[in-house]
Amino acid sequence: MTSVSEKDDVQSGEQIEEKEPKTENSDDEEEEEEEEKEKSLIVEGKREKKKVERLTMQVSSLQKEPFTITPGKGQKLCEIERIQYFLSKKKTDELRNLHKLLYNRPGTVSSLKKNVGQFSGYPFEKGSDQYKKKEEMLKKYRNAMLKSICEVLDLERSGVNSELVARILNFLMHPKPSESESENSSDDEPLIKKLKKPPTDEDLKETVKKLLANANLEEVTMKQICKEVYKSYPNYDLSNRKDFIKKTVEEVNTG
């Protein structure tokens, strides 16, 4: 006969055997779950990485978009002597707004002046949608900036905002030298030249004569004439020749 204690031992042994496979199965299930989690994390990580790569590629592609200059119907700005002179005197930062007006981008320090010099006119027609966009862009500029652009382009700087905008756009549609620069007559030569040497006394006398010939002597002042003479030779400091200029003005005026 089997004792009660022996039965208990047998039953407990069977229970242990039954529990052991359950434990093994649960461990396997947990491992499989962990593996699945790791796989899902890896996959998700790869997906996230691809998204970042796509964004990076999109941004870099925009940055590397090739810059091209479409030929216009006019003359290159660098081939117009007076404009080339003004470009050479301006700092790069002072030309960023002009570069943006020409090419819809501010430009880089290394190529900004060169790009402006290569401009030869807009490829679109006056009154087109693109023309109107340029017009709206210019209207947002302050008069000081518009006048600075006029100075570089050798244009008249007087007038209100609408006049300055129209003057700039008309010129940029078909760039060409100013009338005074294209004339061969010595009397109509531009006063501002790219000189290798400072102006002589004779040069200053001729400049004064031309300024007084076109001035209203009842309103013009000595200070205004001196300033105009200085502007005629922006590459040189003529402050030490102010007395000579004033003396010349008096001689020409009374002569």
Side-chain angles (χ1 to χ4, degrees):
M1 294 181 62
T2 305
S3 65
V4 174
S5 60
E6 288 178 353
K7 287 182 179 180
D8 292 339
D9 292 339
V10 171
Q11 288 179 353
S12 62
E14 290 176 352
Q15 288 177 355
I16 291 171
E17 288 178 359
E18 288 178 358
K19 288 181 180 178
E20 285 178 354
K22 284 184 181 179
T23 304
E24 289 177 2
N25 290 337
S26 62
D27 289 343
D28 291 340
E29 288 176 358
E30 287 179 3
E31 286 179 3
E32 288 177 2
E33 287 178 2
E34 289 297 326
E35 287 179 2
E36 289 298 324
K37 286 182 181 179
E38 289 179 3
K39 288 180 180 179
S40 63
L41 288 173
I42 293 171
V43 172
E44 288 175 3
K46 286 183 178 179
R47 285 176 183 169
E48 290 297 322
K49 190 174 181 181
K50 286 182 181 179
K51 288 181 182 178
V52 173
E53 288 177 351
R54 289 196 195 101
L55 291 173
T56 305
M57 288 174 65
Q58 289 175 0
V59 173
S60 61
S61 63
L62 288 174
Q63 292 175 342
K64 294 180 180 180
E65 184 180 348
F67 174 74
T68 57
I69 298 176
T70 305
K73 300 177 182 178
Q75 192 170 342
K76 289 183 180 179
L77 298 184
C78 64
E79 296 175 355
I80 302 175
E81 184 179 357
R82 287 162 66 97
I83 294 179
Q84 175 59 27
Y85 172 75
F86 287 125
L87 281 175
S88 68
K89 303 309 294 180
K90 288 287 185 180
K91 295 180 180 178
T92 303
D93 288 339
E94 295 177 303
L95 297 171
R96 287 193 183 279
N97 284 311
L98 176 57
H99 191 283
K100 188 174 181 179
L101 176 65
L102 301 179
Y103 301 113
N104 294 322
R105 61 178 69 190
T108 59
V109 175
S110 60
S111 61
L112 192 146
K113 283 190 177 183
K114 179 182 177 182
N115 293 343
V116 172
Q118 292 298 310
F119 182 82
S120 59
Y122 288 126
F124 48 80
E125 297 298 325
K126 186 175 181 179
S128 63
D129 290 340
Q130 291 174 297
Y131 181 91
K132 291 177 181 178
K133 287 181 180 179
K134 295 294 182 182
E135 191 174 32
E136 290 301 316
M137 181 188 296
L138 274 176
K139 286 180 179 179
K140 294 178 182 178
Y141 288 178
R142 294 182 177 180
N143 278 12
M145 177 54 63
L146 294 175
K147 290 180 179 181
S148 176
I149 292 175
C150 285
E151 181 184 2
V152 175
L153 301 178
D154 192 28
L155 300 174
E156 175 62 42
R157 287 174 283 173
S158 62
V160 297
N161 183 278
S162 58
E163 292 173 330
L164 293 169
V165 169
R167 190 177 300 141
I168 292 171
L169 279 180
N170 285 338
F171 175 80
L172 293 178
M173 291 302 295
H174 193 282
K176 61 181 180 180
S178 61
E179 293 181 3
S180 60
E181 187 173 350
S182 59
E183 293 287 342
N184 292 324
S185 173
S186 59
D187 290 338
D188 293 325
E189 280 187 352
L191 295 176
I192 301 174
K193 298 179 180 179
K194 192 175 181 181
L195 302 174
K196 294 182 179 180
K197 297 180 180 180
T200 63
D201 290 349
E202 193 61 34
D203 292 331
L204 293 178
K205 283 183 181 180
E206 288 300 318
T207 300
V208 170
K209 286 180 181 179
K210 291 177 181 179
L211 289 172
L212 292 177
N214 298 318
N216 184 344
L217 300 181
E218 294 181 358
E219 297 180 0
V220 72
T221 65
M222 180 68 75
K223 185 177 182 180
Q224 289 173 333
I225 292 296
C226 289
K227 282 187 175 181
E228 290 301 318
V229 174
Y230 296 158
K231 287 181 181 178
S232 298
Y233 303 95
N235 201 30
Y236 303 99
D237 181 8
L238 301 179
S239 58
N240 62 335
R241 302 175 73 177
K242 184 176 181 180
D243 291 338
F244 174 80
I245 295 171
K246 292 172 68 175
K247 182 181 178 181
T248 303
V249 171
E250 292 173 356
E251 290 177 354
V252 173
N253 193 29
T254 57

